[in-house]
């Protein structure tokens, strides 16, 4: 491609006792006669840690070095000041992170990229799964995936499949397994890679997945190597426990439409899975809390039929009283246990689904966390499912982990119902509760988690540790748990000699794999505990995880890998992305379902057709109740020149537009929400000098001020710098920084020289875009743009030049007649109970053609929007940014 030929790509995976060591090697040559840029672009599982990277150019190797994030910062900032550094790892898709590095190589030169990463394969639904993303982007002469698996227990099944595998390619997947060894290879020829006989495009684009399981003659397997041990626990053929499930569902207005339809679809399938010995209930929360039943109900055929009818009639409305819904579910589950309504030997779970953030009742996430933890009191796990990008995922994750559960993001795609059902399937078959794997305290140090609330069918519990005496070769484990009928209790023993006998086939084993497995699992769990910790405890966990990350050379959220390139020692930084980055879409204008407003003094606000009233029927009420709720509007925008507002009303297939003309230095209130305490103001700047040919001078946003009273937060943004003041603390950045900053109720992501994303506790997110012009331009200056994401998370009281149009608007056109300009018609408009004289005209939409724009026909409201906007435009002039 473009003179660069990737002539070899090999993915080599070695799996020893579930721990995978993967090496991706790509070789390319510059076939052109000038220097070219070569890209190495691969996607890795999010659960993996990068451990090494190097590139070799004409025999010279440039290695990556893993350092503490803070220690790498000076190198990073130095490279940023030269305009050279880019983040190498970015979140990409549901399961993957993308690692990208590029380098210039001379004509006829060759480059070899080598990336190593490791992960512990987890068992789900009875199989271990290893996921490899395949996307070479061109035909590769020597392409190969090779997987070697060694399992001391023996392999019982092994399979491999690819989403891109055609009938012809199926035969190129070779798989063999016998005893403890398994092997898979995939090596398509050039012709087999083609999309058609004479095509130059590659069919290799998708997921390659390896699945296998091991032989289980006993409930567990212990392995001891070089002073470390790993204990795998996965008993089979146990009777299933009955379960008690409370579904706590967000039915607020933002769930309207497809999200709620998908939730209902999933719930109906889940009801089909419930067994008659199970108990369940539904809690719905919007502005109010409602329940299907007042207690847990047995899953009899009659009750399930009634529940299906209930689910089918669930409707959406109002705001988000998350605290009230969750506490109601906990109260019902606690009462069921206290009153012995459910079997003593049963597994209880709460599954909560929300697409937003609490904004009614108790909305402080810290207070909700405290109350939920106190109410559950360690008795059962809480699973939090975050639907879409508007959730405060860190809040959901922290609350779930504090209550022995986990959080999962549900992506708002066509398969959202399957994602919901898939998560439920993982936890739908509890086999044991209160599992403990106890080891001699005086013999073991640095033990990973060894107590588990539930063990689910098809999963596996993994515990690893280090011996106090590295020469010790014997270990005794005491196993305890509660089953459906009886307690589980036994003792197991293993010695290093037994492990050594199982590991005679040394060619399949990579070095100190058990030690690295222990380090991987320990770091993973320390980082998890760090989420819920505070103060000194959090500092200690951080220090411990950092020390292990550096010792074992893992790229984790606490470390960075510095990649030095040959071009004037240019440096790249590889970091481990955090979950919050997924909130930021790749292309802001590509997602029509996402609410956003872009304000750079041309505001185009597109309001979807809205039903003002929905009739919803609540069970147990004698008549339907009418609830006023406006569906969240969807906005698109383009920008240029003075404040031009375009309000599109699709149900009219028409639009309204108006101008606001003010002088540089004027500060305009754009958004003001007294309920959430959020305000956004913008200060105008003009051109470098007045345009003598124009009656009205151009103006732009040169400064934005975003404030949140509840968080005591003020953020000032200019084309030069970003300043955040949180209480008495102040921190500053420039647009040359690449930053991810997280603290209570606030997430800031700065994408260098492009944009920043600010997410706040209420659920609202702002994206500020930097527009840079030629520095020597005789007239124009750099300026800013503003998007508002998830503005449905602002209250109905939201106002301001932008905020007032977050609510639905309608108009009527009467008496169209020729105007003073023969090319334009005048008419009478009825809007907001006002009669206005309007003129048919056009405004520019610069979304698709940034240079020339597209003409949008609209009815023009004169006199700075008088009669259309509430009050007069000078009402929106404020004295300061805050």
């Amino acid at each position: 491609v473009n003179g660069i030929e990737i002539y070899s790509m090999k993915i080599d995976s070695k799996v020893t006792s579930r721990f995978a060591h993967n090496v991706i090697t790509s070789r390319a040559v510059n076939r052109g006669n000038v220097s070219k840029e070569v890209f190495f672009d691969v996607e890795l599982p999010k659960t993996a840690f990068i451990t090494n990277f190097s590139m070799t150019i004409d025999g010279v190797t440039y290695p990556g070095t893993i350092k503490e994030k803070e220690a790498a910062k000076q190198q990073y900032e130095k490279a940023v000041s030269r305009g050279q550094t880019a983040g190498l790892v970015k979140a990409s898709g549901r399961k993957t992170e993308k690692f990208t590095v590029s380098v210039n190589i001379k004509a006829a030169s060759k480059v070899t990229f080598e990336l190593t990463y490791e992960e512990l394969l987890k068992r789900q639904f009875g199989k271990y799964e290893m996921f490899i993303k395949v996307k070479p982007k061109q035909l590769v002469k020597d392409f190969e995936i090779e997987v070697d698996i060694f399992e001391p227990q023996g392999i019982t099944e092994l399979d491999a499949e690819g989403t891109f595998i055609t009938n012809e390619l199926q035969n190129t997947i070779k798989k063999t397994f016998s005893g403890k060894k398994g092997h898979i290879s995939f090596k398509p020829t050039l012709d087999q890679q083609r999309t058609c006989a004479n095509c130059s495009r590659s069919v290799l684009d998708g997921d390659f997945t390896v699945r296998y399981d091991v032989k289980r003659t006993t409930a567990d397997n212990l392995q001891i190597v070089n002073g470390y041990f790993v204990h795998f626990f996965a008993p089979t053929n146990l009777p299933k426990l009955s379960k008690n499930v409370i579904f706590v569902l967000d039915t607020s207005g933002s769930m309207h439409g497809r999200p709620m339809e998908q939730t209902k679809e999933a719930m109906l399938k889940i009801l089909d899975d419930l067994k008659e010995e199970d108990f369940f209930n539904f809690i719905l929360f919007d502005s109010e809390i409602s329940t299907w039943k007042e207690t847990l109900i047995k899953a009899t055929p009659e009750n399930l039929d009634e529940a299906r009818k209930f689910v089918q009639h669930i409707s959406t409305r109002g705001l988000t009283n998350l605290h009230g819904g969750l506490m109601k579910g906990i109260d019902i589950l606690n009462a069921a246990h206290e009153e012995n309504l459910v079997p003593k030997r049963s597994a209880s779970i709460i599954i909560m689904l929300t697409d937003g953030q609490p904004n009614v009742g108790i909305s402080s996430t810290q207070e909700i966390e405290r109350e939920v933890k106190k109410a559950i009191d360690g008795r059962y796990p809480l699973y939090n499912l975050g639907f879409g990008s508007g959730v405060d995922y860190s809040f959901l994750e922290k609350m779930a982990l504090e209550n022995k559960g986990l959080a999962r993001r549900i992506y708002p795609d066509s398969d959202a119902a399957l994602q919901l059902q898939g998560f439920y399937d993982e936890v739908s078959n509890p086999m044991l509760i209160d599992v403990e794997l106890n080891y001699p305290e005086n013999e073991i140090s640095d033990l990973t988690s060894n107590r588990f609330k539930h063990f689910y069918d098809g999963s596996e519990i993994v515990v690893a540790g280090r011996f106090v005496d590295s020469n010790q070769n014997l270990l005794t484990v005491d196993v305890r748990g509660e089953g459906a009928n009886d307690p589980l209790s036994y003792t197991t023993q293993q010695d290093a000699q037994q492990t050594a006998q199982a590991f005679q086939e040394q060619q399949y084993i990579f070095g100190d794999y058990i030690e690295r497995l222990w380090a991987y699992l320990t770091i993973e769990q320390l980082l998890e505990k760090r989420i819920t910790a505070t103060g000194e405890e959090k500092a200690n966990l951080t220090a411990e995880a950092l020390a292990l990350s550096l010792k074992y050379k893992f790229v984790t959220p606490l470390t960075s890998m510095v990649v030095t390139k040959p071009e004037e020692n240019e440096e790249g930084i590889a970091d481990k992305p955090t979950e919050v980055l997924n909130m930021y879409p790749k292309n802001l204008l590509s997602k029509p379902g996402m609410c956003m407003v872009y304000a750079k003094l041309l505001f185009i606000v597109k309001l979807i057709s809205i039903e003002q009233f929905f009739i919803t029927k609540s069970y147990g009420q004698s008549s339907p109740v009418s609830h006023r709720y406006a569906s969240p509007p969807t906005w698109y925008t383009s920008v240029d020149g003075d404040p031009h507002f375009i309000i599109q009303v699709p149900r009219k297939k028409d639009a309204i537009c108006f101008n606001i003309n003010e002088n540089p230095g004027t500060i305009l209130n754009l958004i003001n929400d007294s309920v959430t305490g959020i305000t956004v103001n913008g200060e105008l700047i003009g051109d470098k000098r007045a345009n003598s040919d124009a009656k009205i001078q151009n103006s732009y946003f040169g400064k934005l001020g975003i404030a949140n009273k509840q968080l005591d937060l003020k953020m000032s943004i200019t084309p030069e710098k970003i300043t955040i003041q949180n209480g008495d603390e102040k921190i500053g950045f420039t647009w040359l920084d690449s930053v991810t900053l997280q603290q209570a109720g606030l997430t800031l992501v700065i994408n260098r020289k492009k944009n920043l994303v600010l997410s706040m506790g209420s659920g609202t997110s702002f994206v500020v875009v930097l527009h840079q012009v030629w520095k020597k331009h005789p007239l124009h200056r750099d300026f800013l743009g503003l998007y508002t994401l998830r503005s449905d998370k602002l209250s109905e009281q939201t106002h301001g030049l932008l905020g007032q149009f977050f609510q639905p608007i309608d108009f009527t056109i009467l008496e169209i007649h020729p105007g003073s300009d023969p090319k334009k018609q005048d008419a009478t408009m009825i809007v907001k109970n006002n009669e206005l004289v309007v003129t048919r005209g056009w405004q520019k939409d610069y979304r698709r053609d940034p240079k020339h724009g597209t003409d949008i026909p609209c009815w023009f409201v004169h006199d700075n929007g008088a009669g259309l906007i509430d009050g007069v435009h000078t009402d929106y002039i404020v004295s300061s940014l805050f």
Side-chain angles (χ1 to χ4, degrees), residues 47 49 122 519-529:
T47 49
F49 291 152
K122 292 183 171 58
Y520 173 98
L521 195 58
T522 301
I523 293 168
E524 190 178 57
Q525 292 179 1
L526 287 170
L527 292 172
E528 202 172 79
K529 289 176 185 174

Side-chain angles (χ1 to χ4, degrees), residues 710-831:
Q710 292 181 3
L711 297 178
D712 194 14
L713 172 78
K714 293 178 181 178
M715 184 169 180
S716 173
I717 308 160
T718 72
E720 291 76 40
K721 62 182 180 179
I722 301 109
T723 305
I724 303 173
Q725 185 168 345
N726 198 183
D728 295 329
E729 295 180 15
K730 186 180 281 191
I731 187 169
F733 303 101
T734 76
W735 286 99
L736 291 174
D737 292 325
S738 292
V739 173
T740 300
L741 174 69
Q742 285 182 284
Q743 58 189 68
L746 169 71
T747 300
L748 171 68
V749 180
I750 300 176
N751 295 296
R752 180 176 176 268
K753 295 175 73 173
K754 292 181 180 177
N755 51 53
L756 66 81
V757 187
L758 175 68
S759 304
M760 291 188 283
S762 69
T764 308
S765 297
F766 297 104
V767 180
V768 177
V769 179
L770 175 66
H771 292 274
Q772 292 183 306
V773 300
W774 179 42
K775 295 301 180 191
K776 295 182 180 179
H777 195 287
L779 275 179
H780 302 317
R781 304 177 190 271
D782 294 348
F783 55 93
L784 302 171
L786 170 75
Y787 290 81
T788 304
L789 281 73
R790 298 309 306 256
S791 50
D792 55 306
K793 298 304 172 187
L794 295 169
S795 76
E796 291 185 358
Q797 280 73 50
T798 304
H799 211 261
L801 278 171
L802 281 180
Q804 66 186 290
F805 296 113
F806 293 174
Q807 301 302 318
I809 189 170
D810 196 6
F811 68 92
T812 303
I813 294 293
L814 306 169
E815 302 170 1
I816 299 174
H817 57 274
S820 55
D821 183 339
K823 295 179 182 178
K824 297 179 181 178
Q825 295 177 310
D826 281 356
T828 299
M829 172 183 286
I830 310 296
V831 60

Side-chain angles (χ1 to χ4, degrees), residues 251-268:
T251 56
S252 63
S254 55
M255 284 288 289
H256 177 66
R258 189 74 177 131
M260 183 48 68
E261 292 306 313
Q262 291 172 318
T263 301
K264 289 183 185 181
E265 182 185 338
M267 287 299 127
L268 291 171

Side-chain angles (χ1 to χ4, degrees), residues 164-175:
F164 53 86
I165 297 294
T166 60
N167 289 334
E168 185 182 355
L169 280 176
Q170 190 66 50
N171 296 326
T172 63
I173 300 178
K174 308 294 183 186
K175 62 173 185 175

